[in-house]
Amino acid sequence: MGLLAYLKTQFVVHLLIGFVFVVSGLVINFTQLCTLALWPISKQLYRRINCRLAYSLWSQLVMLLEWWSCTECTLFTDQATVDHFGKEHAVIILNHNFEIDFLCGWTMCERFGVLGSSKVLAKRELLCVPLIGWTWYFLEIVFCKRKWEEDRDIVKEGLQCLSDYPEYMWFLLYCEGTRFTETKHRISMEVAASKGLPPLKYHLLPRTKGFTTTVQCLRGTVAAIYDVTLNFRGSKNPSLLGILYGKKYEADMCVRRFPLEDIPADENDAAQWLHKLYQEKDALQEMYKQKGVFPGEPIKPARRPWTLLNFLCWATILLSPLISFVLGVFASGSPLLILTFLGFVGAASFGVRRLIGVTEIEKGSSYGNQELKKKE
């Protein structure tokens, strides 16, 4: 094992990476709070600044994927589709099977220059998560309770506010509503059968309300829908902890572009279009399972140095005073001071672990089990 590989497995190194992410995130959140004063003066300037502040935080996670674990991401598509990336507003439909599917999406956002302006339809619980939810709040992310009767007006208003966004944005939709588990899949397919819909093997039944509302509200702003079907070579099931330990994964993404004018304007027709799309996504996953490859030309967009440089900049600023402080604590010889410091380290470790836990499938929401509860 080389020195770098050894360091990637060490708890102290993980703690330092977590320290840089958390403290820089708090600095960024405070700066975002200060930028609120710009909103009544220049909304677009506020948005441009916050795109760059968000980039400075999210790119640290992308750095872990690209430079720390050296995970490779390959697109299966055509060059004509790739030529549109980063040059138009788009809605991204991504399957929700893996703990790091969002991170694979973010690395593609980064490589095509839209990471800071990327959007998502997020569950409202995430608004209370430090750093993640707070940053999203300043980015005008649309939060929902996943109860359509309560969400309808909130989601429409949030989406309509994005119609004049000054930078190209990719709006991510997890149409399945929650991560795939065997239990949720069984319940979902029971619902599909009751509605006369074909069964899906690798996906949950898509929730159509969010999709049809997004298309309706962003029509005239968004140019296309990118359907992204993600899987990992070797039947791997990657995790954020695995990335932190430096494990290398190979992600494959089949990307198809659908001009928005090809999506039916009628709500029911658009819902049927989405169901058909997920049947096609299921067929793509079946092909990947059988052949280990998606259809289309394999394209590997080059990783950019900015994520690494951004992290090194924050690490230099934040770790230098930290190291001086730690040396001072132990040089003091005070048992109380040393114990207090070790207690703080333990609390910080717990906090970082809780942030990572947000991505874990087994700690996911109960959304998707509601039909089972109704039956019981």
Side-chain angles (χ1 to χ4, degrees):
M1 180 184 292
L3 176 60
L4 182 57
Y6 174 76
L7 290 175
K8 290 179 179 180
T9 65
Q10 298 307 296
F11 170 75
V12 173
V13 176
H14 300 164
L15 201 57
L16 292 175
I17 292 174
F19 173 82
V20 172
F21 179 75
V22 170
V23 176
S24 65
L26 292 174
V27 172
I28 288 169
N29 285 163
F30 178 76
T31 307
Q32 288 180 302
L33 180 63
C34 295
T35 64
L36 285 175
L38 291 173
W39 182 271
I41 302 171
S42 175
K43 181 172 68 173
Q44 304 297 37
L45 177 60
Y46 165 89
R47 286 170 161 174
R48 292 183 187 278
I49 291 174
N50 274 276
C51 282
R52 281 142 189 84
L53 290 171
Y55 178 88
S56 189
L57 185 61
W58 301 149
S59 66
Q60 295 181 49
L61 297 177
V62 174
M63 182 281 299
L64 290 177
L65 185 80
E66 293 185 337
W67 297 92
W68 187 254
S69 78
C70 297
T71 291
E72 295 183 357
C73 295
T74 304
L75 301 180
F76 288 81
T77 185
D78 56 80
Q79 190 58 49
T81 295
V82 174
D83 289 342
H84 286 94
F85 292 171
K87 300 174 183 177
E88 62 183 2
H89 296 305
V91 172
I92 313 297
I93 296 178
L94 178 62
N95 54 305
H96 208 8
N97 301 68
F98 305 98
E99 291 184 9
I100 65 165
D101 46 30
F102 76 97
L103 202 49
C104 293
W106 274 0
T107 192
M108 286 299 110
C109 288
E110 201 289 319
R111 295 184 192 196
F112 293 102
V114 293
L115 177 59
S117 58
S118 61
K119 309 294 180 189
V120 66
L121 184 60
K123 56 185 179 182
R124 191 164 184 81
E125 295 96 313
L126 290 176
L127 182 58
C128 301
V129 177
L131 308 183
I132 298 173
W134 300 348
T135 303
W136 274 351
Y137 173 80
F138 294 108
L139 281 177
E140 304 169 79
I141 293 299
V142 182
F143 292 95
C144 61
K145 298 179 181 178
R146 298 193 291 196
K147 296 179 181 178
W148 187 243
E149 295 74 17
E150 300 178 29
D151 288 333
R152 182 186 293 107
D153 293 337
I154 296 174
V155 170
K156 285 184 177 180
E157 182 181 356
L159 290 170
Q160 288 167 354
C161 286
L162 298 176
S163 61
D164 62 343
Y165 211 76
E167 307 215 357
Y168 290 126
M169 63 176 178
W170 285 4
F171 192 97
L172 173 62
L173 280 180
Y174 287 119
C175 293
E176 295 162 271
T178 186
R179 279 199 177 92
F180 184 101
T181 67
E182 290 300 329
T183 299
K184 292 176 181 178
H185 179 253
R186 175 175 57 82
I187 298 168
S188 181
M189 290 307 97
E190 290 175 1
V191 174
S194 70
K195 294 182 177 181
L197 295 169
L200 300 172
K201 186 176 180 180
Y202 302 100
H203 300 85
L204 304 180
L205 188 69
R207 311 271 176 156
T208 60
K209 292 293 186 182
F211 170 75
T212 56
T213 301
T214 299
V215 169
Q216 179 185 22
C217 293
L218 294 182
R219 195 176 289 274
T221 299
V222 165
I225 289 176
Y226 301 160
D227 170 54
V228 182
T229 304
L230 168 69
N231 213 323
F232 290 86
R233 296 180 195 175
S235 300
K236 297 289 181 63
N237 192 12
S239 66
L240 192 54
L241 273 178
I243 295 294
L244 196 57
Y245 276 87
K247 293 183 180 179
K248 181 177 180 178
Y249 302 104
E250 294 176 295
D252 290 332
M253 289 179 274
C254 180
V255 184
R256 299 180 296 163
R257 181 181 182 274
F258 299 92
L260 201 69
E261 56 265 25
D262 292 349
I263 312 304
D266 178 76
E267 182 178 348
N268 291 329
D269 290 343
Q272 290 303 313
W273 184 91
L274 183 65
H275 284 303
K276 182 175 181 293
L277 181 77
Y278 267 79
Q279 293 161 27
E280 294 171 357
K281 288 171 75 69
D282 226 47
L284 287 171
Q285 291 286 28
E286 181 64 27
M287 175 186 292
Y288 192 86
K289 183 178 181 180
Q290 298 297 329
K291 300 182 179 180
V293 66
F294 285 121
E297 176 188 353
I299 298 174
K300 288 187 177 182
R303 61 183 180 179
R304 307 192 304 172
W306 313 123
T307 58
L308 180 61
L309 292 175
N310 174 76
F311 178 79
L312 291 176
C313 180
W314 278 114
T316 301
I317 293 171
L318 297 175
L319 292 183
S320 297
L322 175 66
I323 293 172
S324 298
F325 174 75
V326 171
L327 292 176
V329 167
F330 285 95
S332 70
S334 169
L336 179 60
L337 191 58
I338 293 174
L339 288 174
T340 301
F341 172 75
L342 293 177
F344 173 78
V345 170
S349 175
F350 176 77
V352 171
R353 186 64 185 82
R354 287 294 298 272
L355 280 175
I356 293 175
V358 173
T359 70
E360 294 176 349
I361 293 176
E362 62 270 18
K363 294 183 180 179
S365 71
S366 60
Y367 188 68
N369 294 330
Q370 294 170 354
E371 287 81 2
L372 179 62
K373 293 179 180 178
K374 291 176 183 177
K375 290 180 181 181
E376 294 175 343

